[in-house]
Amino acid sequence: MVCGGRPLYGETRIQGSKNAALPILAATVLVKGKTRLYRCPKILDIIYMLHILREIGCTVFWEDEDVLVIDAADCDGYEIAEQYAGKMRSSIILLGSVLGRNGRVQVPYPGGCIIGKRPIDMHIAALQTMNVHIETHEKTLSAQTSGLTGATLDLALPSVGTTENIILAAVTARGRTRINGAAREPEIAALCDYLNHAGARITGAGTETIEINGVRRLQQTTYEIPADRIVAGTYSLATVATRGSTILYDAPIHQMDAFIKIIQSMGARVSRIRHADRIGLVIDAEQAVHAVEYLETKEYPGFPTDLQSQLMTVLTTADGTSRILETIFEERYKIVGELQKMGAHITIQDREAVIESVPRLQGTTLQASELRGGAALVIAGLMAQQTTIVENAHFIKRGHEDIVKDLKELSASIKYL
Ligand code: EPZ
């Protein structure tokens, strides 16, 4: 429940990145020993992934508040059960690492989700090029190999998950793998940084050409998960939405250029502050908020699709008309109906969202139906004068450790019902 209409003020700390932590957790399976992860976010998707790792033989425990230990010495399983994998489509990221460790894997076929059908054709085609035999049945996908072999792969589009699966399969494969047209997201760089810490030989992470020289085994290591650029962007937009002024400590500012340029064009003042050994992103948005004439979501380093719904929400009361084209996922305008219930003027004209300004949003009861859209509806509640209830908050808990705690630290009037 959110009582809106007041600016956000104060400071909070940004959690570890969900989309960096998930592939790194999959990668720990390749290490015949312990991995210690610092700042792994305690979110639902991570909890599901830890259950899956336990099911295939890993020992997993929290050493203290925020050090997660995964001991994969005895990880000899290969069947990923539906119970958790069905709840989290990113379990497909285990294909490459469980194949690399045990030569075979069986995962539930990941369904699409509300933002798009989310096919995995590119994952399958890439692994088949690396000497993997894949069979797909209606509910499950099973794969096996007599030994992964390096290959040169040209990706038709810079798919994040496909790039990650290839890297995980290539790390201990025989020979060299080269990915042309690789995704450049910071989460890929974090995955490769972790793997190189463990003895892998990967170059080019963060560029569109990544090369992996297979090694025989990886050593145990420790790694700190980088902060979550999408959570930092979400709270930055909540600050702009409420004309507030906040400090977001540990935000990965260097990964947020395209995003920061957009909120600056809307009138926000953005700077950084150093406090003790911490760097904070300072967002000061106490003046009017301008519209965004036209924006396309793009693969990194462009404006991230994962912040599109949150930006759309802020633009509903900006001065002027904004246009957004979502180019990554074909169904990612699901919150339009919910925002219209609050009085927003949004129309979809041949795949473009046209957002005309209204003086303010009216609080009401809303339905979240996926993670980033759910967070966007919380922002809408912060903007509305009255009370807003966002139902299905479990979607938000998939990516936020505790959005209520964080926003309360930024002076929001918000609580779980
Ligand atoms: C990752 O999803 C993220 N998830 C998504 O974040 C993010 O939106 C997306 O990358 C784009 O940045 C994780 O990292 C766990 P893709 P992923 O493969 O890997 C098409 C969030 O809210 N495609 O780059 O699934 C696909 O349909 C989530 O944190 C194929 O056609 O993204 C989509 O249109 C949402 N065939 C486009 O590529 C394939 O085999 C981008 O998908 C694979 C993908």
Side-chain angles (χ1 to χ4, degrees):
M1 178 161 87
V2 188
C3 300
R6 301 193 336 225
L8 290 187
Y9 279 111
E11 55 194 57
T12 189
R13 181 180 182 216
I14 300 300
Q15 69 182 54
S17 164
K18 164 175 94 75
N19 292 348
L22 286 169
I24 288 173
L25 284 172
T28 61
V29 158
L30 290 165
V31 176
K32 293 189 173 83
K34 284 196 179 84
T35 292
R36 299 178 119 73
L37 293 180
Y38 294 81
R39 293 197 60 189
C40 192
K42 296 179 182 62
I43 54 179
L44 283 182
D45 274 11
I46 295 295
I47 290 162
Y48 296 150
M49 181 63 97
L50 297 183
H51 281 298
I52 291 170
L53 294 180
R54 287 189 183 102
E55 279 174 352
I56 56 175
C58 297
T59 304
V60 175
F61 56 95
W62 293 91
E63 199 161 59
D64 57 42
E65 192 38 37
D66 68 350
V67 181
L68 178 63
V69 179
I70 299 97
D71 184 346
D74 304 327
C75 173
D76 55 6
Y78 62 88
E79 287 169 305
I80 314 294
E82 163 78 22
Q83 186 184 3
Y84 298 107
K87 292 192 178 82
M88 184 190 68
R89 58 175 316 285
S90 7
S91 46
I92 196 66
I93 201 65
L94 284 154
L95 272 184
S97 63
V98 177
L99 274 170
R101 175 64 189 266
N102 295 327
R104 58 190 303 189
V105 64
Q106 199 168 308
V107 292
Y109 210 87
C113 70
I114 196 151
I115 65 173
K117 59 182 190 318
R118 315 289 293 274
I120 57 166
D121 53 311
M122 292 170 63
H123 296 248
I124 291 172
L127 291 173
Q128 286 172 329
T129 320
M130 300 174 76
N131 188 32
V132 178
H133 175 68
I134 294 184
E135 285 178 19
T136 53
H137 318 291
E138 71 288 344
K139 295 281 283 174
T140 52
L141 179 153
S142 52
Q144 61 185 36
T145 178
S146 55
L148 285 157
T149 54
T152 294
L153 299 147
D154 301 301
L155 297 190
L157 53 88
S159 154
V160 173
T162 305
T163 303
E164 290 167 346
N165 249 332
I166 296 169
I167 291 165
L168 291 166
V171 163
T172 57
R174 219 180 5 263
R176 171 180 303 181
T177 298
R178 184 186 174 91
I179 311 173
N180 297 317
R184 298 161 55 190
E185 270 70 5
E187 292 76 35
I188 308 263
L191 171 64
C192 294
D193 192 32
Y194 160 73
L195 286 166
N196 283 340
H197 268 70
R201 292 172 55 212
I202 307 171
T203 54
T207 75
E208 56 192 25
T209 306
I210 298 178
E211 213 158 81
I212 305 108
N213 287 289
V215 295
R216 291 193 58 72
R217 60 177 295 128
L218 297 177
Q219 283 75 38
Q220 50 190 36
T221 184
T222 64
Y223 191 74
E224 172 159 345
I225 303 289
D228 193 311
R229 61 192 172 98
I230 304 302
V231 170
T234 299
Y235 295 166
S236 301
L237 285 163
T239 305
V240 176
T242 57
R243 315 296 189 268
S245 177
T246 61
I247 304 178
L248 307 176
Y249 281 105
D250 297 344
I253 301 167
H254 57 294
Q255 298 173 6
M256 301 172 70
D257 288 357
F259 169 77
I260 287 170
K261 281 193 181 69
I262 289 295
I263 59 171
Q264 285 174 321
S265 76
M266 294 164 69
R269 281 203 299 275
V270 178
S271 57
R272 64 178 63 201
I273 187 172
R274 175 184 288 279
H275 180 79
D277 62 345
R278 282 242 178 97
I279 305 262
L281 171 63
V282 184
I283 306 290
D284 183 346
E286 291 162 336
Q287 53 288 333
V289 171
H290 311 308
V292 171
E293 198 172 323
Y294 180 71
L295 173 90
E296 290 186 6
T297 59
K298 283 271 174 257
E299 294 88 358
Y300 194 86
F303 187 94
T305 173
D306 290 350
L307 286 171
Q308 183 259 108
S309 296
Q310 300 91 313
L311 176 68
M312 175 189 283
T313 301
V314 178
L315 292 172
T316 57
T317 63
D319 57 15
T321 298
S322 303
R323 311 174 85 85
I324 297 178
L325 179 64
E326 167 60 52
T327 69
I328 309 289
F329 290 113
E330 66 276 20
E331 293 293 328
R332 208 168 201 174
Y333 292 137
K334 289 297 176 197
I335 63 162
V336 168
E338 296 304 297
L339 294 175
Q340 287 169 337
K341 279 160 60 176
M342 301 178 85
H345 283 184
I346 307 172
T347 54
I348 307 295
Q349 296 164 12
D350 44 305
R351 293 191 63 213
E352 266 182 31
V354 181
I355 305 118
E356 290 167 271
S357 182
V358 294
R360 71 180 55 76
L361 298 179
Q362 308 302 322
T364 183
T365 297
L366 304 169
Q367 302 285 322
S369 53
E370 38 90 20
L371 161 58
R372 306 301 174 187
L377 296 181
V378 172
I379 292 176
L382 292 169
M383 294 164 68
Q385 298 295 323
Q386 310 78 1
T387 298
T388 296
I389 310 272
V390 178
E391 298 192 332
N392 308 328
H394 59 85
F395 284 113
I396 302 171
K397 292 183 178 177
R398 293 191 52 177
H400 287 263
E401 283 185 325
D402 190 341
I403 196 167
V404 166
K405 169 182 158 292
D406 292 346
L407 291 176
K408 271 184 169 167
E409 287 175 359
L410 299 177
S411 336
S413 168
I414 181 172
K415 67 178 181 181
Y416 292 115
L417 286 180

